[in-house]
């Protein structure tokens, strides 16, 4: 039964290497209305903007940090609840720039004094069009080039050392999305309003004292003031840590700020991707085992064996 054990071991190696792969993707390098500096920086955004020469007066003792590579903006028309309409615009590096104003980041040093706040300010650098789910040919929504907008997310702490998205409010320059094609054109220009919902289901939550990263969150939704039209915002490739980014202990890099190595991913270990890996690994291992067991059970024919027959003698010349 030894080879069975070897196979089991092999199978578990496969499974664990797949698991390891999926949890590896975790690490990514790294409502105020105060007027911003207008010194726009290329994405990715990181606030507080430590070591960005355009911004002065950053408190180097600040203990929290947000990193963000982009947003996905979704517009929903839920007039017909059984046939929801969506259109999406992806804002990625090159599509927008970010800015920072004093007090855009609120990092209480005492965890009980939450919420923690981050204000995200973006300005599009080109016209961004979004297609709807049922027509990928003609753009259904648009964010004009040069549109600047801001919103603030609040991360509420809970007494059991967790944090979660507890609020999202638009700034004095709310996001505006133009509807170009039915059903979005009837709404005209949709403006995000601060009545927000789906905070709890956006999946933005973590453990205090650990890092948190996400490749794409679920959307949290803003009202637009127009019935049954809503603007949702998803954070793309983001990382948040609420405490401990000040590396006082690092003698090689005094004054550096970076995320810790303990990072939780918003995608659980058993994501659809890892299941795909696990199942294909198991199928392959099953095939291997089947082949091996089949070969093991092959018996050579002994029908013509004649033990009484004179043995063949081979003379070896020296
Ligand atoms: C943050 O780092 C700076 C520079 O090393 C240090 O002076 C300061 O005390 C640190 N703050 C905290 C809260 O650790
Ligand atoms: C944090 O604040 C709470 C309430 O304000 C206080 O009881 C606690 O001692 C503070 N903790 C620290 C470490 O300052
Ligand atoms: C939207 O449609 C245009 C025109 O067909 C296409 O070029 C573009 O790639 C589409 N965008 C997305 C996000 O699918
Ligand atoms: C988060 O905290 C703020 C301020 O304490 C509060 O107004 C808000 O309702 C909280 N959000 C949630 C979801 O608990
Ligand atoms: C600031 O940035 C420069 C170059 O971008 C880098 O060489 C330097 O080490 C950074 N300083 C800190 C304290 O991170």
């Amino acid at each position: 039964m030894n080879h069975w054990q070897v196979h089991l071991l092999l199978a578990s190696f496969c499974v664990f290497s797949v698991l390891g792969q999926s949890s590896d993707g975790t690490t990514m390098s790294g409502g105020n209305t105060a007027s911003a500096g207008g010194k726009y920086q290329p994405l990715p955004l990181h606030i507080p903007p430590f070591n960005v020469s355009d911004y002065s007066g950053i408190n180097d003792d600040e203990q929290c940090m947000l990193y963000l590579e982009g947003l996905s903006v979704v517009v929903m028309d839920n007039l017909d609840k059984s046939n929801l309409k969506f259109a999406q615009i992806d804002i990625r590096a090159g599509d927008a720039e970010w800015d920072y104003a004093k007090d855009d980041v609120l990092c209480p040093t005492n965890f009980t004094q939450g919420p923690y706040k981050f204000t995200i300010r973006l300005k599009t650098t080109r016209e961004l069009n979004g297609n709807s789910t049922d027509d990928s040919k003609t753009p259904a929504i648009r964010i004009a080039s040069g549109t600047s907008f801001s919103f603030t997310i609040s991360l509420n702490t809970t007494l059991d050392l967790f944090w979660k998205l507890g609020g999202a409010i638009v700034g004095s320059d709310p996001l505006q999305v133009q509807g170009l094609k039915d059903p979005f054109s009837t709404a005209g220009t949709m403006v995000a309003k601060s009545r927000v919902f789906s905070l709890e289901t956006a999946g933005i939550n973590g453990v205090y004292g650990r890092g948190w990263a996400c490749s794409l969150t679920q959307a949290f939704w803003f009202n637009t003031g127009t019935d049954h039209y809503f603007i949702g915002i998803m954070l793309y490739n983001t990382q948040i840590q609420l405490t401990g980014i000040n590396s006082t202990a690092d003698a090689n890099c005094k004054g550096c700020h970076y995320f810790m190595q303990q990072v939780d991913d918003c995608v659980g270990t058993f994501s659809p991707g890892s299941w795909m890996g696990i199942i294909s690994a198991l199928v392959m291992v099953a095939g291997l085992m089947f082949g091996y067991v089949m070969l093991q059970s092959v018996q050579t024919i002994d029908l013509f064996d004649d033990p009484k027959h004179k043995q063949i003698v081979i003379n070896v010349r020296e």
Side-chain angles (χ1 to χ4, degrees):
M1 273 303 171
N2 251 344
H3 51 277
W4 280 104
Q5 283 161 6
V6 171
H7 283 308
L8 266 179
L9 209 67
L10 261 178
S12 33
F13 268 131
C14 291
V15 171
F16 282 116
S17 57
V18 167
L19 288 184
Q21 225 171 25
S22 75
S23 55
D24 238 349
T26 51
T27 40
M28 290 166 214
S29 62
N32 305 292
T33 47
S35 65
K39 294 170 180 160
Y40 286 95
Q41 312 289 326
L43 286 172
L45 165 158
H46 59 97
I47 49 175
F50 299 115
N51 203 17
V52 176
S53 56
D54 280 339
Y55 302 113
S56 55
I58 308 302
N59 178 6
D60 280 336
D61 290 355
E62 214 78 88
Q63 291 294 303
C64 67
M65 187 156 70
L66 175 141
Y67 168 89
L68 180 72
E69 285 183 13
L71 299 176
S72 289
V73 174
V74 202
V75 172
M76 170 171 68
D77 167 22
N78 76 351
L79 177 63
D80 180 0
K81 300 281 190 289
S82 61
N83 184 17
L84 301 177
K85 304 282 188 191
F86 295 97
Q88 180 168 336
I89 294 177
D90 292 333
I91 303 177
R92 301 292 184 255
D95 297 339
E97 296 175 320
W98 62 276
D99 199 5
Y100 172 81
K102 193 177 176 303
D103 300 330
D104 269 0
V105 175
L106 181 69
C107 304
T109 45
N110 187 336
F111 154 85
T112 57
Q113 286 156 4
Y116 290 67
K117 290 188 179 175
F118 295 96
T119 298
I120 291 158
R121 297 172 192 275
L122 294 178
K123 182 172 150 196
T124 54
T125 51
R126 58 190 192 86
E127 184 181 276
L128 301 174
N129 293 314
N131 303 333
S132 67
T133 32
D134 38 65
D135 173 12
S136 60
K137 297 270 154 42
T138 4
I141 54 171
R142 168 175 298 162
I143 300 177
S145 176
T147 304
S148 52
F149 62 96
S150 68
F151 61 93
T152 302
I153 55 171
S154 305
L155 307 175
N156 291 19
T157 47
T158 59
L159 284 177
D160 50 1
L161 294 170
F162 285 86
W163 60 264
K164 62 179 181 195
L165 182 65
I169 55 169
V170 293
S172 52
D173 47 352
L175 175 59
Q176 302 197 8
V177 183
Q178 301 161 13
L180 299 181
K181 194 170 69 87
D182 269 345
F184 303 103
S185 54
T186 49
T189 298
M190 293 162 277
V191 183
K193 298 255 160 59
S194 277
R195 236 204 75 216
V196 69
F197 59 98
S198 300
L199 290 172
E200 302 273 341
T201 51
I204 301 173
N205 50 56
V207 182
Y208 189 78
R210 282 176 71 90
W212 174 84
C214 200
S215 48
L216 189 63
T217 68
Q218 303 284 340
F220 44 94
W221 295 91
F222 294 95
N223 256 5
T224 60
T226 312
D227 254 3
H228 61 79
Y229 289 101
F230 302 92
I231 294 179
I233 289 184
M234 304 186 258
L235 307 181
Y236 169 74
N237 275 357
T238 187
Q239 184 156 350
I240 294 175
Q241 191 179 312
L242 297 190
T243 188
I245 58 131
N246 189 346
S247 60
T248 41
D250 190 343
N252 295 323
C253 193
K254 282 279 178 223
C256 289
H257 299 83
Y258 42 75
F259 292 121
M260 61 170 60
Q261 287 181 335
Q262 289 82 37
V263 184
D264 299 322
D265 201 304
C266 63
V267 180
T269 308
F270 290 97
S271 63
S274 40
W275 277 119
M276 275 157 64
I278 291 166
I279 289 171
S280 4
L282 287 181
V283 166
M284 285 188 286
V285 166
L288 194 72
M289 278 190 203
F290 175 75
Y292 186 78
V293 170
M294 207 175 71
L295 281 183
Q296 285 285 300
S297 60
V298 167
Q299 281 170 5
T300 45
I301 303 170
D302 53 5
L303 189 63
F304 304 113
D305 277 5
D306 181 4
K308 283 178 204 146
H309 192 273
K310 196 182 161 203
Q311 302 225 317
I312 300 168
V313 177
I314 297 165
N315 292 315
V316 182
R317 283 184 202 176
E318 310 241 330

